[in-house]
Amino acid sequence: MDATNVYTSELQEAGDPESLLADLWSAFDRLPDVALVAVDRELRVIRCAGGILTRRRERGELMVGAPLADAIPPHTFAEYEPHFRAALEGRGTQLEARASAGGPTVYLTEFVSVAGANGEIVGALGMARDITGRLADEIAHQQWERCFQAPTRGIALANTQTNLIERVNVAFAEMHGGVPADFVGMPVTDLYPPAARASVSERTQMADRSESLEFETEHVRLDGSPFPVKIELITTPATLGQAGYRIAWVSDLRAQREVERAGREASVRFETAFANAPVGMAIVSLDGRWLKTNDALRKLTGYSTEELRELTFQDITHPDDLDTNLELVRQTIAGEIPSYEVEKRYVTKQGQCVWSLLSASMVRDVDGEPSYFISQIQDISAHKRMEERLRHLADCDPLTDLWNRRRFDEELARQEARCARYGEQATLLMVDLDEFKTVNDTYGHKMGDAAILAVADALRDRLRKSDSVARIGGDEFAVLLVNVDIDHAYALADGLRAAIGALEVSDGEHTAVITASVGVTTIHKTTAAKRDPLMRADQAMYRAKQAGRDRVAR
């Protein structure tokens, strides 16, 4: 059967068609992630089913006989109408769209024709499926791939049934003296020296029971030379149709072991080890006084030994982190926990904040009473900067360093909520470069990229820090102005248009002149229930295009 037609005549050959159809529609009601809506040629709802629609039908929001425009939300109708009309013309289509503007749920809807017994199209059917979970899985897979390739630590995946390695990253391969392909299909035990292989099975079983295990051991490079490693092993159990895996994060401990060896050779005394530790070390009293500190801690905080003795850890802890730290101290003194580890900020003598990983253990006397803490303080500022960099990469357009569409949508949604709740006013500008395809086609994408960068700089230079600007498409930008009235915003939009028009982008041989059309729309309490402000701004921008380009419209 043609995928775009459903012939009811075929149902008539299989018994009572009305009964069969009723059973079929009733069956769809029991499917929680499906929705079907049938319309006639006038786009009136003639039948609907599916678990997605059950609650809406119970509330009377989707009524048989009602025009489709009245039966579904306006933004949904605007997206669905052209697809239903295409189906009425015999063209099947698909649409992937969110259930609500900015909402998390995503539906994939197929639109097909409905033909009568004579073969003429009498209506159309929209069949929607909730694909949010599938999209979430795809995003999770992409995030895993980024994590897999990014770290300097080695990562290896082994099948729990075969104990064969299925995949390693470049860091793992280089650590072991090879390339990733050298290790695919290798038994896990081959990574260990012969004397250590007997313990592999025991450790993997421990990891399988607890789902995670951390230990240090030795691995063997492809040339046969052993080296020390730290392994963090996580087991993902097998599921229906999916094999189980052990994921090992492997850190090469050769450098760390060399530091430890050098420390032992320098002195066997605790004081020397304490003083020469590569991270901050301290003995801290129960009330928080610095009893003893090492050089690394003094460098980290900027205070001298004498100055630290006059201070407590409370004095140099960031106020926002103090309550958490004090609660952990209380629990440790009370014996509720033996030690603790926390990420916190210290405020240096120079007033700078330093992110640190604090690991503190309680030392008790022979009677078991608390005596003092031994604290290890590691500077993790670089790690925090990397986290911030990853957030930046997730939020920003890689070419212009402006916000991307996803991040801008988040800020726009927050601003709409503030406007609705607190009566704030904001203005949204949609900036679209005129005939930009001609620039790419005539001068090449290098010139096109240079033009996009120049426009991004022009927008950034003329906006306040409180304003938000994003590149939301190839040649499309969005600007969110907070607490700016429409007249001021209109004047600013015209200024942005003029600034873009004044740009001359050159590749040394050719010069391109760029213009832009700008759409302006307001966001305030009374617009909260109206259609998507991006859509309104986009429509205003197209009015500017239709009026001749290189202008502003609202």
Side-chain angles (χ1 to χ4, degrees):
M1 183 186 293
D2 189 330
T4 63
N5 288 278
V6 177
Y7 290 98
T8 56
S9 60
E10 295 191 8
L11 292 172
Q12 295 171 356
E13 299 175 2
D16 180 3
E18 293 298 328
S19 176
L20 288 174
L21 284 172
D23 290 344
L24 179 61
W25 285 91
S26 177
F28 279 120
D29 272 333
R30 294 192 291 273
L31 299 178
D33 298 329
V34 173
L36 285 86
V37 176
V39 300
D40 60 18
R41 297 194 63 85
E42 303 302 322
L43 292 187
R44 290 184 176 275
V45 179
I46 58 176
R47 199 72 181 262
C48 56
I52 295 175
L53 302 177
T54 299
R55 289 189 299 275
R56 297 187 59 191
R57 292 205 310 275
E58 290 172 353
R59 296 196 300 262
E61 295 176 3
L62 190 60
M63 300 175 61
V64 173
L68 184 64
D70 297 336
I72 61 178
H75 81 275
T76 306
F77 179 74
E79 291 178 327
Y80 279 24
E81 181 190 16
H83 292 273
F84 271 112
R85 294 199 182 280
L88 290 172
E89 295 173 1
R91 292 181 287 110
T93 63
Q94 287 188 342
L95 171 66
E96 187 175 301
R98 294 190 178 278
S100 59
T105 306
V106 180
Y107 294 131
L108 176 63
T109 306
E110 298 182 51
F111 300 85
V112 298
S113 306
V114 176
N118 60 2
E120 293 184 2
I121 296 175
V122 297
L125 181 66
M127 299 174 287
R129 288 178 290 124
D130 187 342
I131 61 170
T132 309
R134 189 197 75 190
L135 294 179
D137 290 343
E138 291 176 357
I139 292 172
H141 177 72
Q142 293 169 3
Q143 291 173 337
W144 159 248
E145 285 299 321
R146 286 197 293 270
C147 292
F148 187 84
Q149 298 300 339
T152 55
R153 288 195 302 175
I155 301 178
L157 278 73
N159 189 298
T160 56
Q161 294 180 341
T162 65
N163 281 322
L164 297 180
I165 296 173
E166 295 193 0
R167 190 180 182 193
V168 302
N169 69 350
V170 173
F172 181 96
E174 291 179 346
M175 184 187 306
H176 290 77
V179 296
D182 294 331
F183 302 90
V184 175
M186 176 185 289
V188 172
T189 51
D190 286 1
L191 295 172
Y192 295 83
R197 291 175 183 175
S199 65
V200 174
S201 176
E202 179 183 352
R203 281 172 171 162
T204 54
Q205 290 176 14
M206 291 173 62
D208 292 348
R209 289 194 297 269
S210 63
E211 296 187 358
S212 66
L213 183 67
E214 181 177 318
F215 59 94
E216 294 181 7
T217 183
E218 281 192 338
H219 271 188
V220 178
R221 291 167 56 85
L222 292 182
D223 62 10
S225 59
F227 68 102
V229 293
K230 176 182 177 181
I231 298 178
E232 297 171 62
L233 188 62
I234 295 177
T235 298
T236 60
T239 56
L240 183 63
Q242 297 289 333
Y245 288 93
R246 296 186 187 94
I247 307 171
W249 279 264
V250 183
S251 300
D252 187 342
L253 297 182
R254 281 174 291 187
Q256 178 181 324
R257 291 289 172 81
E258 182 59 30
V259 170
E260 293 173 353
R261 186 188 65 81
R264 286 193 299 270
E265 289 178 354
S267 178
V268 296
R269 299 176 58 189
F270 171 78
E271 291 293 338
T272 303
F274 181 94
N276 293 334
V279 297
M281 297 290 295
I283 297 177
V284 183
S285 70
L286 301 183
D287 59 1
R289 289 177 293 113
W290 301 98
L291 301 178
K292 190 174 185 63
T293 58
N294 71 346
D295 185 58
L297 181 61
R298 292 190 289 272
K299 287 180 180 179
L300 185 146
T301 62
Y303 289 102
S304 67
T305 302
E306 293 74 19
E307 288 171 328
L308 282 172
R309 284 175 181 161
E310 298 298 320
L311 298 170
T312 64
F313 81 80
Q314 296 94 319
D315 294 327
I316 63 172
T317 294
H318 191 284
D320 292 345
D321 301 334
L322 184 56
D323 287 345
T324 298
N325 201 163
L326 289 174
E327 174 59 20
L328 291 170
V329 168
R330 184 200 66 77
Q331 293 177 21
T332 309
I333 293 174
E336 298 173 9
I337 54 176
S339 60
Y340 67 88
E341 188 172 87
V342 65
E343 291 184 0
K344 59 177 288 188
R345 287 161 289 182
Y346 287 101
V347 181
T348 69
K349 184 178 180 179
Q350 294 75 28
Q352 298 175 332
C353 287
V354 178
W355 273 104
S356 301
L357 177 63
L358 167 63
S359 301
S361 300
M362 171 62 64
V363 175
R364 298 178 180 273
D365 62 22
V366 293
D367 296 323
E369 294 298 318
S371 293
Y372 55 84
F373 288 94
I374 294 182
S375 297
Q376 184 182 60
I377 302 163
Q378 181 178 356
D379 186 349
I380 58 170
S381 301
H383 173 73
K384 285 296 183 179
R385 286 193 295 271
M386 178 59 72
E387 286 184 352
E388 182 60 32
R389 177 60 179 162
L390 291 175
R391 281 193 293 269
H392 179 81
L393 291 175
D395 290 343
C396 295
D397 170 55
L399 176 62
T400 63
D401 211 35
L402 299 176
W403 278 354
N404 56 26
R405 175 64 180 265
R406 182 196 63 79
R407 181 64 183 85
F408 187 81
D409 284 345
E410 289 178 356
E411 186 60 28
L412 180 59
R414 279 194 287 268
Q415 184 58 49
E416 285 187 276
R418 288 195 295 268
C419 290
R421 184 171 183 178
Y422 302 114
E424 291 185 9
Q425 178 169 310
T427 305
L428 179 63
L429 313 181
M430 185 71 72
V431 182
D432 188 89
L433 304 187
D434 297 324
E435 299 184 330
F436 187 71
K437 185 176 183 298
T438 304
V439 175
N440 279 329
D441 293 345
T442 304
Y443 304 112
H445 288 281
K446 185 176 180 180
M447 176 76 91
D449 287 349
I452 291 293
L453 282 168
V455 170
D457 289 339
L459 295 174
R460 190 186 287 112
D461 291 344
R462 287 163 178 79
L463 294 172
R464 305 168 300 176
K465 290 185 177 180
S466 59
D467 299 327
S468 302
V469 58
R471 182 187 180 201
I472 63 172
D475 59 355
E476 198 168 30
F477 300 83
V479 177
L480 183 61
L481 308 172
V482 180
N483 294 326
V484 176
D485 60 52
I486 185 63
D487 293 332
H488 187 191
Y490 195 87
L492 178 58
D494 195 55
L496 294 175
R497 176 202 60 78
I500 294 171
L503 296 173
E504 290 187 359
V505 182
S506 175
D507 61 0
E509 183 178 353
H510 305 96
T511 299
V513 177
I514 307 163
T515 63
S517 299
V518 185
V520 183
T521 189
T522 57
I523 306 170
H524 48 77
K525 194 166 188 175
T526 59
T527 66
K530 293 186 178 179
R531 65 187 187 279
D532 181 5
L534 274 173
M535 183 185 297
R536 288 187 274 123
D538 201 50
Q539 291 170 346
M541 179 269 293
Y542 276 108
R543 288 194 290 273
K545 296 269 190 191
Q546 293 165 358
R549 301 187 181 90
D550 191 20
R551 62 197 64 218
V552 180
R554 62 173 107 176

